[in-house]
């Protein structure tokens, strides 16, 4: 699981939330109220919900039973105090949105309303290209599947300057629609072209066929006393099983 912090979301982990906080801090309403970017933080910001402390939920102590987590009745899961609903940012189309409203949107929806925020657009587009356009920005990081977590890590890695690294992915295609597999392969190629090595454990045939090297660690390889390594024409060596 990614995002050990209980306030970690898709937006915070993918380095989108910080850019959005800065954008809203530049609005006339925020300046008039004296709000800086830090005020929009879930962790310590002045605009976080005081009832749930920016977690979006509260824990109920039930006698003789495990505690029950429910949506915060004060912020209704938005994590923000009511004052945050008075700070608006105007989009390219003239629409006015608050940060809580924006965080409630999916990646694909946010792409349309954040035009002009270059860094945000790049990250959102990468998440979209990885087949994660359906995730809402305020989705808890801890609630993501293994495949979703790996693909968000890929999106974050593409925005860094790190090279000469080895990325080991365990079935990143899990939960991914088959039509988005080609997008995932393109992102893996981008990491490779940047000077990194990508090792993928996969059963998806399309991803296997795209590999430069294929290592079979199945039962057949074990009986022969070692791994079977194919190099070069991988596509011609992939069988139905």
């Amino acid at each position: 699981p990614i995002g050990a912090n209980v306030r970690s979301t898709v937006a915070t982990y993918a380095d989108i939330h910080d850019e959005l906080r800065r954008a809203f801090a530049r609005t006339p309403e925020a300046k008039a109220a004296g709000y800086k970017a830090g005020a929009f933080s879930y962790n310590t910001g002045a605009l976080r919900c005081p009832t749930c402390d920016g977690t979006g939920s509260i824990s109920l102590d039930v006698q003789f039973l495990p505690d029950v987590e429910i949506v915060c009745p004060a912020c209704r899961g938005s994590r923000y105090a009511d004052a945050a609903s008075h700070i608006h940012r105007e989009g390219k189309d003239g629409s006015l949105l608050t940060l809580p409203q924006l965080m409630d949107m999916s990646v694909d929806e946010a792409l349309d309303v954040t035009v002009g925020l270059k860094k945000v657009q790049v990250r959102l587009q990468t998440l979209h290209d990885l087949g994660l356009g359906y995730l809402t920005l305020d989705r808890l990081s801890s609630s993501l599947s293994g495949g979703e977590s790996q693909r968000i890590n890929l999106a974050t890695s593409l925005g860094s300057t790190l090279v000469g690294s080895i990325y080991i992915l365990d079935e990143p295609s899990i939960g991914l629609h088959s039509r988005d597999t080609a997008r995932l392969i393109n992102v893996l190629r981008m990491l490779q072209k940047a000077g990194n090595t990508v090792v993928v454990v996969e059963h998806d045939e399309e991803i296997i066929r795209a590999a430069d090297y294929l290592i079979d660690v199945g039962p057949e390889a074990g009986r022969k006393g070692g791994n079977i390594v194919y190099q070069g024409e991988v596509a011609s060596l992939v069988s139905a099983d």
Side-chain angles (χ1 to χ4, degrees):
I2 62 175
N5 190 320
V6 294
R7 299 176 183 85
S8 176
T9 63
V10 168
T12 58
Y13 196 84
D15 290 335
I16 295 171
H17 194 239
D18 285 349
E19 291 297 324
L20 292 177
R21 291 195 293 116
R22 283 190 278 268
F24 274 87
R26 292 193 295 267
T27 62
E29 291 172 331
K31 290 180 179 178
Y35 293 132
K36 304 293 185 183
F40 295 89
S41 169
Y42 291 151
N43 294 311
T44 58
L47 291 173
R48 73 172 182 171
C49 175
T51 302
C52 63
D53 289 332
T55 62
S57 63
I58 60 174
S59 180
L60 297 181
D61 183 12
V62 183
Q63 262 191 325
F64 310 115
L65 291 171
D67 291 351
V68 177
E69 290 284 332
I70 64 169
V71 174
C72 175
C75 67
R76 295 176 295 281
S78 76
R79 302 162 179 259
Y80 283 107
D82 184 63
S85 64
H86 302 301
I87 310 298
H88 300 81
R89 179 182 177 274
E90 185 175 354
K92 287 288 185 180
D93 60 353
S95 61
L96 294 175
L97 286 173
T98 66
L99 186 53
Q101 287 175 325
L102 184 52
M103 292 297 294
D104 192 44
M105 291 183 172
S106 69
V107 168
D108 286 345
E109 291 171 334
L111 261 173
D112 295 331
V113 299
T114 56
V115 176
L117 298 176
K118 186 176 179 180
K119 291 183 179 179
V120 173
Q121 284 276 292
V122 170
R123 285 298 168 91
L124 289 174
Q125 187 61 52
T126 305
L127 290 173
H128 169 80
D129 291 343
L130 286 168
L132 298 174
Y134 61 90
L135 292 179
T136 57
L137 298 184
D138 63 356
R139 172 81 174 266
L140 278 174
S141 298
S142 59
S143 70
L144 299 172
S145 70
E148 290 169 336
S149 298
Q150 290 188 85
R151 295 199 293 276
I152 286 185
N153 271 326
L154 283 176
T156 304
S157 297
L158 284 173
S160 71
T161 57
L162 192 65
V163 296
S165 298
I166 297 179
Y167 291 86
I168 303 177
L169 306 173
D170 184 10
E171 299 198 67
S173 65
I174 289 180
L176 189 65
H177 193 283
S178 56
R179 68 187 176 200
D180 293 318
T181 302
R183 291 176 174 176
L184 173 60
I185 293 172
N186 287 336
V187 171
L188 297 179
R189 287 293 186 199
M190 290 170 65
L191 279 176
Q192 181 190 34
K193 290 177 181 178
N196 301 293
T197 297
V198 182
V199 179
V200 183
V201 180
E202 261 298 350
H203 293 91
D204 182 87
E205 184 175 339
E206 190 174 349
I207 295 179
I208 293 173
R209 288 182 181 277
D212 298 312
Y213 304 92
L214 177 61
I215 305 174
D216 183 359
V217 291
E220 187 65 27
R223 281 196 294 270
K224 294 184 179 181
N227 299 334
I228 304 172
V229 181
Y230 299 126
Q231 178 179 345
E233 295 296 327
V234 173
S236 64
L237 296 168
V238 178
S239 62
D241 59 354

